[in-house]
Amino acid sequence: MRHPFRAPEYRALAATALEAAGASSLPHVQAKHEQAARTWSELADAEDARMAARPQTPPSGV
């Protein structure tokens, strides 16, 4: 079973976290959201790498 490609979802979550960081006036809350954005971005990059390393399989049923 193949897993869905989730990098776009992770990048959207990173963008949301960055928006939250920018909207916060408390430094520790900004830092929390910035760390979350970095983590989501790292996950998206890892997902891209995983997809690039995946062997290509021809479509079935033909």
Side-chain angles (χ1 to χ4, degrees):
M1 180 175 177
R2 290 194 177 261
H3 296 283
F5 182 63
R6 305 207 42 200
E9 177 185 352
Y10 295 157
R11 285 196 171 79
L13 290 167
T16 300
L18 281 176
E19 283 182 33
S24 177
S25 60
L26 300 173
H28 69 283
V29 176
Q30 285 177 336
K32 177 187 81 161
H33 289 301
E34 289 168 354
Q35 178 58 45
R38 281 190 297 276
T39 300
W40 285 123
S41 294
E42 289 169 5
L43 285 170
D45 292 345
E47 181 75 356
D48 287 338
R50 182 178 70 83
M51 290 300 289
R54 177 187 284 184
Q56 298 297 319
T57 56
S60 61
V62 178

